[in-house]
Amino acid sequence: MQEQYHFSQLETKWQKDWERQELDQVAEDFEREKYYLLEMFPYPSGHLHMGHVRNYSIGDVVARFKKMEGYNVLHPMGWDSFGLPAENAAIKNRVPAALWTKDNIVNMKKQLKTMGLSYDWEREVATSDPDYYKWTQWLFLEFYKKGLAYKKKAAVNWCPSCATVLANEQVVEGACERCETLVDKKDLEQWFFKITDYADRLLEDLQQLPGWPEKVKIMQENWIGRSEGAEICFKTEAGHDLKVFTTRPDTIFGVSYMVLAPEHPLVSELVADTEYEEPVHAFIKKVKSMTNIERAETEKEGLFIGAYAINPLSGDKIPIWVANYVLMDYGTGMVMGVPAHDQRDFEFATKFQLPIKVVIQPDGDLLEGNKLTEAFPAEGRLVNSGRYDGLPNEQAIQKITRDLEQKGLGEKQIQYRLRDWLISRQRYWGTPIPIVYCEKCGVVPVPAKDLPVILPIQVAFKPSGESPLKTNGEFLNCTCPNCGGEATRETDTMDTFVDSSWYFLRYTDAKNAVAPFDREKADYWMNVDQYIGGVEHAILHLMYARFFTKVLFDLKLTSAQEPFQNLLTQGMVLKDGAKMSKSKGNVVSPEEIIEQYGADTARLFILFAAPPERDLEWNEKGVEGCFRFLNRVWRLSYYYHEKIKNISPGEVTKNELDKELLRSIHGAIKKVTDDVRLRFNFNTAISAIMELINTLQKYRDHTNVKSENLPLVRFGLENTVLLLAPFAPHIADELWSNLGKKTSVHLEAWPKYDEKALELAEVTMVVQINGKVRERLNFPKDLPEPQLKELVLETEKIKQLLQGKEITKFIIVPNKLINLVV
Ligand code: ANZ
Ligand code: ZN
């Protein structure tokens, strides 16, 4: 054994050795219980950052721990490799996006390998690989057959000056990010997935996920946004239907105006050839240039449009307005304005001096419309509501809805905030949508046997904003699979969230050439037992992956109904209180840290510095501390190396010091096991290992050659190495082989603790007389007071000190301290 801890040399050695032994490759084993551990796969930017290091260090501990516990562990890794950065690099540097991506993958894989992560690289996938996107396309076609993929016109952000479609993020204050021209909404044909068909299941099945953070489930719930209410039909004076969705039919007598979304087609009709036509159209134009988010954030604006509606129950004549706070794509795009009981309506009515009529009255002080300072949205009884007066409002909701139903002017309705998923992207670097347009046959899906529709290598991009693939004649022009005539291909590509919605299934059978995956294999591995990643994916990615899993279940491709059984959302890595980022210049490079201290230290620090869900503050001192700790482990092993070489481990104890060591070993096993298995509290698990090393150190300092209990020391060191293995895998394997072991520590069983050894635990208690420390004594843990008293008073030193004195008080801090007041 070398005297020094040469981390760099030994880390490389073990990484090679693990690869040679194929230690991390797994196969289905139907006799054994499986455990599927997954970290969110990265976008191959080319550089590993600390967020990755944290994510993968956490995952690797769990994977290695579960393996030692005896599970058949699937722990794969791959690349979410389609997306804009590659396309931008291609435009900027005139390199094919495919090449740029491949280089980055090679780089990042190399970096990942230096971390010593236990991935089964045989299952590596890259979503931009034709072997992968072939199946993304195949799945698209299955969705299409089921009516779950469809095309419709949808409003997109359009910059008239750049002649391009813009993503929402590229629109800043209603203008194009590049040229600052006001952005239009343009209706273009787009592909959608019908996720709204699954809204109820996506919502209900959240209840089957107790292993998900509550906050993530709430975000999903809000995103789905289920509202129960009614659709109510008002009529204009001229007899047009004005259908509104409301959650509060009970407030219908309080309606003082109607509002239409400015884009609503009825608006133009109602103002045609009136004095309102011009100002209303100007208003529409202004509002249309904003995104929904911007609309929600700006001041409420609106205009009366010169028409009136009739309230179907009260008969009131009410003015019709347009306003920016009513959205076209929710409900019916129309609202009945009830200022007394809806805050948005209250603000609007106050600004435009519309009447505020109270129709729900709480117990207590009478509300008055002209004295309200905000809306009253809560429960109460109906007032000013004709024959419904006096009803509790919950009952009134039912009754009013029923009465309107009978008149054919309303019905119960459930609304979702969730919209169908727009998957078309006018981009190059993505999965081509496998559809062909033929003049004779119309929209023709590419037959499965012709997949994949290969994405051509392209380096020329005209900045037209249209799909770059439109400019590629070879790709664009094809023959119709149906009639053999001339046809053109769909040139939009898929949102990259489609690619990442099923990769966890591909891992279960990554090389399958005849199907996306084999059902039996997928059924063995699914669900993912533990998914780990950033909370920024709490909504979209997780929702889409859940949606896909449910569709694939319905297609009978898998028995899984949920993809991820348990979810851990890791916190951020901060430096000086801020998220590490290039622009802030506070980035710590993982490569440098690994070079300077080794991967084991880097992993240990990142796991030790904070529990996984909390944010973690980078701290060079902490890194050094972990490095010193590993050196301490090394030195201790070195000190005993020769002595215990030919000795078997043993648990026989001969004296108090031995007993303390034995207890400490079992205590550490228990603590680490529980912390990792039950709570993922890796930081406290690591402190327990550190404590064990302290005890071993103390043991070494307090024993001489004759009293050294070497079998016990060996027992202690072997267990330390076993406990350390998931956290610092390289040094653990090196120390394991230094202990004379012939096979990897990562093939060992996780150590078990002996409850008995723990029960007999002793504690060291301080004995004070009048507050002054006089003695330290060992007692069995949790000894009852009378026995403790007896034992203290029997000790020689205390007896002497107490001679001739009377004890007035006997104070005990359990397991810590005894104070005798005399
Ligand atoms: C009258 C009313 C009275 C309302 C009241 C609420 C309280 P959630 O719960 O989010 O589904 N609304 C309906 N369609 C809208 C649209 N396209 N744009 C903006 N607002 C719209 O919200 C449902 C409520 O949001 C509906 O119920 C409607 O206002 C408004 F005391 O109708 B309510
Ligand atoms: Zn055809």
Side-chain angles (χ1 to χ4, degrees):
M1 181 176 180
Q2 288 183 312
E3 191 173 352
Q4 300 292 323
Y5 168 40
H6 293 295
F7 57 86
S8 165
Q9 188 191 346
L10 73 88
E11 288 184 356
T12 319
K13 176 180 101 184
W14 285 107
Q15 284 157 17
K16 284 211 184 103
D17 195 65
W18 297 334
E19 211 167 304
R20 186 183 54 74
Q21 292 188 55
E22 302 181 350
L23 213 58
D24 300 312
Q25 292 179 25
V26 278
E28 300 68 46
D29 177 349
F30 294 89
E31 306 290 295
R32 264 168 81 203
E33 205 174 333
K34 64 88 189 184
Y35 191 90
Y36 186 175
L37 181 99
L38 185 64
E39 299 122 44
M40 290 179 184
F41 66 166
Y43 178 79
S45 62
H47 295 281
L48 212 59
H49 57 64
M50 279 301 170
H52 294 130
V53 173
R54 188 171 194 200
N55 193 176
Y56 310 144
S57 298
I58 293 168
D60 203 48
V61 173
V62 182
R64 290 182 183 278
F65 172 74
K66 290 289 171 187
K67 246 180 238 181
M68 290 176 84
E69 279 206 308
Y71 291 92
N72 191 25
V73 174
L74 174 57
H75 187 207
M77 182 39 82
W79 313 96
D80 190 10
S81 47
F82 271 136
L84 261 189
E87 192 162 335
N88 290 338
I91 294 169
K92 203 168 141 214
N93 311 324
R94 307 209 124 246
V95 287
L99 203 66
W100 185 87
T101 304
K102 199 168 240 157
D103 283 352
N104 283 348
I105 289 179
V106 169
N107 258 334
M108 277 179 88
K109 192 166 166 182
K110 224 190 294 164
Q111 292 177 329
L112 281 182
K113 287 200 166 174
T114 64
M115 284 184 63
L117 303 163
S118 60
Y119 295 128
D120 179 355
W121 284 108
E122 288 299 303
R123 292 169 185 267
E124 177 179 3
V125 303
T127 57
S128 60
D129 190 335
D131 289 343
Y132 184 90
Y133 70 67
K134 170 180 179 173
W135 298 111
T136 309
Q137 292 174 337
W138 188 88
L139 289 170
F140 173 93
L141 294 173
E142 292 295 306
F143 278 47
Y144 183 75
K145 276 189 240 164
K146 276 212 111 190
L148 290 170
Y150 67 94
K151 214 176 175 191
K152 74 167 182 204
K153 280 219 161 129
V156 292
N157 304 307
W158 179 260
C159 172
S161 151
C162 303
T164 181
V165 174
L166 300 176
N168 278 342
E169 308 84 69
Q170 297 171 304
V171 181
V172 180
E173 289 175 2
C176 172
E177 170 187 67
R178 263 184 297 182
C179 70
E180 298 183 3
T181 311
L182 270 192
V183 169
D184 278 345
K185 284 274 158 66
K186 192 168 172 170
D187 281 335
L188 287 181
E189 290 268 321
Q190 307 275 320
W191 284 95
F192 287 85
F193 279 158
K194 220 174 190 176
I195 192 172
T196 50
D197 271 10
Y198 284 75
D200 263 328
R201 273 161 77 186
L202 288 167
L203 186 67
E204 266 164 35
D205 290 355
L206 284 174
Q207 285 168 10
Q208 291 171 27
L209 299 173
W212 278 39
E214 211 47 45
K215 63 168 186 216
V216 173
K217 285 191 278 186
I218 290 170
M219 282 194 260
Q220 295 234 330
E221 219 174 284
N222 291 339
W223 188 257
I224 297 167
R226 183 181 194 274
S227 294
E228 276 183 37
E231 191 174 284
I232 299 178
C233 187
F234 288 59
K235 300 254 184 212
T236 65
E237 283 185 308
H240 303 91
D241 282 354
L242 294 177
K243 287 193 174 143
V244 299
F245 170 71
T246 177
T247 47
R248 298 292 304 274
D250 55 320
T251 63
I252 189 165
F253 284 78
V255 176
S256 56
Y257 63 101
M258 303 291 287
V259 216
L260 274 65
E263 305 90 326
H264 201 289
L266 201 58
V267 174
S268 299
E269 205 178 312
L270 291 172
V271 296
D273 306 321
T274 71
E275 62 189 283
Y276 297 93
E277 190 163 15
E278 222 187 274
V280 167
H281 278 287
F283 180 70
I284 295 173
K285 183 147 189 255
K286 187 169 139 203
V287 174
K288 264 191 171 175
S289 70
M290 288 189 215
T291 63
N292 279 354
I293 298 166
E294 286 173 320
R295 256 163 90 162
E297 283 166 357
T298 54
E299 169 92 358
K300 291 189 176 56
E301 300 281 358
L303 280 183
F304 174 55
I305 67 169
Y308 290 88
I310 304 298
N311 186 320
L313 288 188
S314 69
D316 287 350
K317 177 175 156 182
I318 36 191
I320 304 175
W321 288 60
V322 286
N324 58 356
Y325 75 98
V326 174
L327 304 175
M328 188 57 216
D329 55 8
Y330 187 66
T332 61
M334 266 185 228
V335 169
M336 58 184 218
V338 186
H341 304 289
D342 180 280
Q343 186 57 27
R344 291 161 299 179
D345 296 345
F346 180 84
E347 286 163 20
F348 191 76
T350 310
K351 178 163 176 185
F352 295 101
Q353 292 170 350
L354 290 154
I356 297 173
K357 183 177 165 195
V358 171
V359 290
I360 306 291
Q361 183 63 51
D363 293 340
D365 291 344
L366 272 190
L367 298 178
E368 280 175 67
N370 56 3
K371 293 204 181 125
L372 287 181
T373 55
E374 58 181 1
F376 173 75
E379 314 267 276
R381 284 177 188 278
L382 268 67
V383 293
N384 299 322
S385 298
R387 62 198 188 86
Y388 302 98
D389 277 0
L391 279 181
N393 74 309
E394 278 300 326
Q395 275 178 38
I397 289 178
Q398 307 305 327
K399 186 150 176 46
I400 288 174
T401 307
R402 242 181 292 128
D403 290 354
L404 285 166
E405 223 153 7
Q406 269 163 20
K407 294 187 185 190
L409 290 174
E411 58 185 11
K412 260 199 176 158
Q413 208 180 61
I414 295 165
Q415 275 293 328
Y416 296 91
R417 207 152 281 281
L418 186 69
R419 296 281 87 109
D420 276 344
W421 174 12
L422 198 171
I423 61 152
S424 289
R425 294 293 179 273
Q426 290 73 44
R427 299 286 178 194
Y428 158 68
W429 191 236
T431 303
I433 294 176
I435 291 284
V436 160
Y437 300 102
C438 165
E439 265 192 28
K440 266 207 338 240
C441 317
V443 178
V444 183
V446 174
K449 68 170 175 47
D450 295 342
L451 297 180
V453 174
I454 289 281
L455 186 65
I457 292 178
Q458 178 159 342
V459 285
F461 296 86
K462 284 218 196 93
S464 73
E466 276 196 299
S467 299
L469 287 172
K470 272 219 166 83
T471 64
N472 189 318
E474 239 176 284
F475 175 85
L476 182 68
N477 300 310
C478 63
T479 52
C480 168
N482 212 14
C483 70
E486 274 180 24
T488 54
R489 288 191 188 283
E490 170 65 65
T491 52
D492 284 357
T493 55
M494 294 185 215
D495 180 1
T496 56
F497 276 122
V498 178
D499 308 326
S500 56
S501 288
W502 71 281
Y503 78 112
F504 44 91
L505 284 157
R506 183 67 180 173
Y507 281 143
T508 66
D509 191 14
K511 290 185 174 151
N512 197 325
V514 297
F517 49 86
D518 174 74
R519 177 170 176 154
E520 205 184 338
K521 288 182 181 170
D523 282 356
Y524 173 72
W525 290 114
M526 288 295 283
N527 307 350
V528 172
D529 293 276
Q530 183 67 55
Y531 197 33
I532 306 173
V535 76
E536 66 275 17
H537 294 297
I539 299 176
L540 295 182
H541 164 57
L542 293 173
M543 186 77 79
Y544 295 149
R546 296 182 63 221
F547 164 58
F548 253 67
T549 305
K550 289 178 192 307
V551 175
L552 299 193
F553 172 84
D554 291 349
L555 289 166
K556 305 209 161 40
L557 292 171
T558 165
S559 330
Q561 301 216 42
E562 282 289 338
F564 314 122
Q565 204 54 49
N566 295 288
L567 174 69
L568 182 120
T569 50
Q570 96 215 28
M572 288 188 294
V573 183
L574 310 176
K575 175 111 192 293
D576 312 320
K579 188 179 174 177
M580 282 188 189
S581 76
K582 272 203 202 118
S583 59
K584 289 203 196 80
N586 62 350
V587 175
V588 179
S589 134
E591 266 176 307
E592 279 169 30
I593 295 294
I594 291 174
E595 212 172 276
Q596 201 177 341
Y597 298 99
D600 282 341
T601 293
R603 294 170 54 127
L604 204 64
F605 165 73
I606 216 150
L607 295 162
F608 181 54
E613 274 167 318
R614 298 261 193 81
D615 288 348
L616 177 159
E617 175 71 35
W618 187 265
N619 165 353
E620 189 83 23
K621 284 230 171 65
V623 180
E624 278 163 17
C626 287
F627 184 60
R628 277 199 307 274
F629 165 66
L630 289 181
N631 275 286
R632 225 179 310 141
V633 178
W634 185 272
R635 279 198 307 274
L636 200 66
S637 305
Y638 181 75
Y639 172 82
Y640 283 117
H641 179 61
E642 285 299 326
K643 296 177 185 243
I644 59 175
K645 216 169 164 182
N646 300 312
I647 283 182
S648 302
E651 295 183 64
V652 176
T653 54
K654 301 194 177 104
N655 53 35
E656 275 313 309
L657 216 53
D658 283 3
K659 277 190 195 146
E660 191 193 336
L661 178 56
L662 184 66
R663 273 191 307 271
S664 175
I665 297 165
H666 284 284
I669 299 174
K670 178 174 165 59
K671 178 86 179 126
V672 177
T673 308
D674 291 352
D675 279 350
V676 175
R677 189 195 287 146
L678 309 176
R679 302 178 273 270
F680 291 171
N681 271 351
F682 307 125
N683 54 332
T684 50
I686 293 168
S687 343
I689 305 173
M690 290 175 168
E691 261 173 58
L692 177 56
I693 284 294
N694 287 344
T695 314
L696 277 159
Q697 186 84 47
K698 202 170 103 191
Y699 186 85
R700 181 193 124 165
D701 296 345
H702 289 284
T703 46
N704 51 39
V705 177
K706 261 196 274 161
S707 62
E708 269 174 347
N709 181 342
L710 291 175
L712 182 63
V713 168
R714 182 164 181 120
F715 181 70
L717 283 173
E718 284 194 3
N719 276 297
T720 308
V721 174
L722 288 167
L723 295 180
L724 204 55
F727 302 95
H730 309 87
I731 191 175
D733 232 355
E734 180 73 15
L735 294 175
W736 195 244
S737 89
N738 284 335
L739 284 164
K741 306 284 187 179
K742 297 283 175 273
T743 51
S744 169
V745 69
H746 304 294
L747 295 170
E748 294 298 317
W750 187 251
K752 292 201 165 45
Y753 56 89
D754 182 354
E755 281 288 357
K756 266 221 221 88
L758 289 173
E759 269 168 29
L760 291 176
E762 278 192 354
V763 288
T764 306
M765 294 180 76
V766 173
V767 182
Q768 300 177 332
I769 296 175
N770 286 347
K772 201 164 169 196
V773 178
R774 293 299 189 175
E775 182 66 299
R776 280 170 219 274
L777 295 170
N778 284 342
F779 297 107
K781 203 165 164 253
D782 300 323
L783 196 65
E785 195 174 329
Q787 276 161 278
L788 199 59
K789 254 187 203 167
E790 212 174 283
L791 286 171
V792 172
L793 298 178
E794 266 173 26
T795 32
E796 222 34 60
K797 191 168 173 194
I798 301 293
K799 245 194 222 165
Q800 272 175 24
L801 287 167
L802 286 178
Q803 245 166 27
K805 296 188 173 125
E806 198 195 330
I807 301 172
T808 55
K809 241 187 188 169
F810 200 95
I811 301 164
I812 296 175
V813 180
N815 298 324
K816 291 220 170 84
L817 174 146
I818 300 156
N819 187 13
L820 307 176
V821 183
V822 296

